[in-house]
């Protein structure tokens, strides 16, 4: 992840995602693809295991906004799942795609680190929301 004066840019194995600071909508605890992954099987056991698996994968702090997403050739299934999940939980502005970036993936204590400094400088309103909700 790169933090720039223009916004956030995430370049990983499957995609390049970019969102401008002013296009960030919210900072919230978001479900991760791991918390949404279905357990294979059938019947009531499948339902119970899916619920337990979701409980083991807690939501993470993420920032959501409308941005640009470029899929790379042969993007891993994990990236496709994350993009699909983001599209389900967060609507984007027309002509853009929803972008979610999980700060804890890059800095576990991001609120008190360099990422928090950038967000506080560029979008203090988002830091205020996180500070109220953080334990």
């Amino acid at each position: 992840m790169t933090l720039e004066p223009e916004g956030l840019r995430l370049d990983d194995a499957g995609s390049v995602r970019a969102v401008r600071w002013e296009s960030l909508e919210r900072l919230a605890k978001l479900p991760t693809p791991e918390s949404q992954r279905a357990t294979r099987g059938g019947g009531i056991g499948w339902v119970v295991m899916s619920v337990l698996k979701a409980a083991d994968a807690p939501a993470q702090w993420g920032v959501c906004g409308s941005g640009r997403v470029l899929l790379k050739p042969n993007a891993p299934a994990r990236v496709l799942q994350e993009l699909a999940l983001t599209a389900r939980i967060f609507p984007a502005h027309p002509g853009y795609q929803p972008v979610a970036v999980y700060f804890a993936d890059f800095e576990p204590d991001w609120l008190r680190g360099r990422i928090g400094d950038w967000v506080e400088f560029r979008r203090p309103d988002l830091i205020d929301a996180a500070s109220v909700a953080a334990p």
Side-chain angles (χ1 to χ4, degrees):
M1 180 178 66
T2 305
L3 302 168
E4 303 170 328
E6 301 81 33
L8 308 171
R9 180 179 168 87
L10 178 60
D11 188 341
D12 62 20
S15 69
V16 177
R17 293 171 248 186
V19 61
R20 299 182 65 76
W21 289 109
E22 62 270 13
S23 296
L24 294 176
E25 300 287 331
R26 65 185 164 128
L27 182 65
K29 288 264 187 164
L30 302 171
T32 61
E34 289 76 23
S35 69
Q36 300 294 308
R37 190 172 295 132
T39 302
R40 295 191 183 276
I44 191 67
W46 176 83
V47 173
V48 171
M49 289 306 294
S50 293
V51 169
L52 292 174
K53 188 170 216 167
D56 287 342
Q60 291 186 29
W61 278 106
V63 64
C64 292
S66 295
R68 302 283 184 197
V69 177
L70 172 66
L71 280 177
K72 294 180 180 178
N74 300 319
R78 174 194 57 78
V79 172
L80 300 175
Q81 289 171 342
E82 184 177 329
L83 293 173
L85 173 63
T86 302
R88 281 199 317 268
I89 64 172
F90 181 73
H93 294 279
Y96 293 90
Q97 294 165 295
V99 175
V101 177
Y102 299 92
F103 289 148
D105 287 348
F106 304 96
E107 189 175 26
D109 192 14
W110 69 269
L111 194 56
R112 292 173 187 81
R114 293 174 55 115
I115 293 173
D117 291 344
W118 267 92
V119 176
E120 185 173 27
F121 180 71
R122 294 292 176 183
R123 290 293 304 274
D125 56 312
L126 297 177
I127 289 292
D128 291 343
S131 296
V132 169

